[in-house]
C-alpha cells in the first residue's frame, strides 16, 4: 500500500492569452476558446527548463511531505519535451535536489507520463522508500519549431507538477493504478528529434474519448465501484471539450471534473500533477472522498488511478 | 426497411453541423459536417442504429471521413456479423 504524501506545482510567470495567438494565426479569440476551453497558457522564460520547473514543483511537494531530497527512495519524471535525448530530466532534477545516489529515471510519454510514473512509483515505494514523481514540460520550445501550427500552438502550455508517493497507509491512499498502451496509431501523436510536433487531433480525440472512460470503468470495476461513486475526477487537462466528452461517456456530472485547462492550457505530462496539486490546495481531497485520476497521451498510452481519502 | 445508406444519413442528420453533402466522396470533416468531437458521438449513434460495435482498433478518423467510407465500413462490419 502507498499514499500520496505531498503535492506541488510550478508554472512559469509569462501568460500567453488567446488574443496573442488569435492575432498570430488570424483566427477569432472565441474560436480558440470554443474548441479548447483554454483562455490562457504559460510560457517558460529563456532560463527555465523542464528540470528547473520540476525542481520548483518538487521542492513544494517535498516540503509538504516533510521529507528532505536525500530521504527519497527514487525519482521518476514524466515528460515529452526533454531538451536532451539523454540523460533525461530526472538526472538533472536529482542533481538540482542534491540527492546523489538516489535512483532516477524518466518516462518519456507526453501527456500520460506522470500517470505512468505514478503507477511505477506505487510499485517502487514499498521497496525503495518515498518516490518523488514529477511531470514537467516546456512545450513552447517544441511549438516554436517552424512551421508553427495553429492547432498545437493554441493548445499547449508549460509547467510542472510533483507528488511524493510514500509507502504504507496515509490520508490520501493510492488505492489502485493501471496503465496500458496501443502502439497501432502511435504516429498520430509523435515527435522526432528536432522536428515539429505531429498531432492528428481527430485520432487523438477519437481514441481518448473511448479509451479513457473504458480505463476508468475497468479500474473502478476492480474495486467494485461505479463512476457515480466517485466524488472528483482529475484528468490530464487535454482540452475542455474532451474532458466534457469523457464525463458524458461516464455519465457523471461535469461538476465532478477538476478543470484548470482554461488557465494553463494542455501542459502534457505536467497537467495531471498540476491539477492534482491545485485540487489538494483547494481542499478537495477531503476525508471520505474517492478521487479518480486519468490520462491519455502519446503511444497511445493511457491509464487511471483511484485515490481514497481516509478520515 | 431502410437501406444502409439511408440509415447512415438519418443517423448523422441530427448530429450534422452543416448540410450533409450529396457527394458520397466529399469530406465530412472539410465541410464541417462533423467535427473532431462530434465524430465520437456519430460513431456511437451509428453503432446503436446498426447494431454493430466498432472496435478500438478501427477508431481511425480516416475510415469515417466520407459517406462512402462510412457506408463501406459498416457494410463490411455487418457482413462479418458485427
Amino acid at each position: 500500500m502507498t499514499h500520496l504524501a505531498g503535492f506541488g506545482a510550478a508554472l512559469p510567470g509569462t501568460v500567453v492569452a488567446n488574443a496573442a495567438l488569435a492575432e498570430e494565426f488570424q483566427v477569432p479569440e472565441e474560436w480558440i476558446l470554443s474548441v479548447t476551453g483554454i483562455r490562457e497558457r504559460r510560457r517558460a522564460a529563456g532560463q527555465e527548463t523542464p528540470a528547473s520547473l520540476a525542481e520548483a514543483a518538487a521542492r513544494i511537494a517535498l516540503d509538504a511531505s516533510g521529507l528532505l531530497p536525500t530521504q527519497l527512495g527514487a525519482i521518476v519524471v514524466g515528460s515529452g519535451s526533454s531538451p536532451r535525448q539523454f540523460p533525461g530530466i530526472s538526472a538533472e532534477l536529482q542533481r538540482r535536489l542534491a540527492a546523489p545516489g538516489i535512483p532516477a529515471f524518466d518516462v518519456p510519454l507526453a501527456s500520460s507520463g506522470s500517470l505512468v510514473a505514478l503507477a511505477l512509483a506505487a510499485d517502487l515505494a514499498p521497496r525503495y522508500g518515498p518516490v518523488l514523481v514529477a511531470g514537467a514540460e516546456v512545450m513552447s520550445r517544441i511549438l516554436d519549431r517552424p512551421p508553427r501550427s495553429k492547432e498545437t500552438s493554441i493548445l499547449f502550455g508549460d509547467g510542472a507538477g510533483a507528488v511524493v508517493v510514500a509507502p504504507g497507509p496515509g490520508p490520501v491512499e493510492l488505492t489502485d493504478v493501471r496503465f496500458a498502451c496501443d502502439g497501432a496509431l502511435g504516429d498520430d501523436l509523435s515527435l522526432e528529434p528536432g522536428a515539429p510536433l505531429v498531432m492528428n487531433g481527430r485520432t487523438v480525440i477519437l481514441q481518448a474519448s473511448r479509451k479513457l472512460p473504458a480505463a476508468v470503468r475497468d479500474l473502478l470495476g476492480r474495486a467494485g465501484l461505479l463512476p457515480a461513486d466517485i466524488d472528483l475526477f482529475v484528468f490530464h487537462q487535454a482540452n475542455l471539450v474532451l474532458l466534457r466528452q469523457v464525463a458524458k461517456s461516464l455519465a457523471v456530472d461535469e461538476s465532478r471534473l477538476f478543470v484548470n485547462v482554461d488557465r494553463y492550457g494542455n501542459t502534457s505530462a505536467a497537467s495531471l500533477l498540476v491539477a492534482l496539486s491545485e485540487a489538494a490546495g483547494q481542499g478537495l481531497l477531503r476525508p471520505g472522498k474517492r478521487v479518480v485520476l486519468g490520462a491519455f497521451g502519446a503511444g497511445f498510452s493511457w491509464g487511471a488511478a483511484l485515490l481514497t481519502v481516509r478520515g | 426497411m431502410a437501406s444502409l445508406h439511408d440509415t447512415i444519413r438519418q443517423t448523422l442528420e441530427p448530429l450534422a453541423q452543416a448540410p450533409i453533402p450529396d457527394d458520397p466522396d466529399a469530406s465530412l470533416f472539410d465541410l464541417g459536417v462533423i467535427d473532431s468531437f462530434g465524430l465520437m458521438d456519430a460513431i456511437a449513434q451509428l453503432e446503436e442504429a446498426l447494431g454493430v460495435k466498432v472496435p478500438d482498433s478501427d477508431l481511425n478518423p480516416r475510415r469515417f471521413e466520407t459517406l462512402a467510407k462510412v457506408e463501406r465500413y459498416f457494410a463490411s462490419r455487418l457482413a462479418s456479423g458485427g
Side-chain angles (χ1 to χ4, degrees), chain B:
Chain B
M1 186 176 168
S3 67
L4 176 61
H5 175 85
D6 290 342
T7 303
I8 289 170
R9 284 192 77 98
Q10 286 161 12
T11 306
L12 294 181
E13 197 71 54
L15 303 168
Q17 297 177 359
I20 296 177
D22 291 329
D23 178 359
D25 295 314
S27 168
L28 300 173
F29 305 148
D30 292 348
L31 292 172
V33 177
I34 297 174
D35 66 14
S36 299
F37 295 100
L39 184 56
M40 190 69 242
D41 280 339
I43 290 170
Q45 297 285 323
L46 287 166
E47 284 178 317
E48 193 175 326
L50 297 167
V52 300
K53 174 79 179 162
V54 178
D56 281 13
S57 54
D58 287 352
L59 282 179
N60 183 333
R62 291 175 278 272
R63 288 184 195 275
F64 307 101
E65 183 163 7
T66 68
L67 287 172
K69 286 182 177 177
V70 171
E71 192 170 331
R72 262 201 308 275
Y73 175 77
F74 281 101
S76 123
R77 293 295 300 166
L78 288 164
S80 66

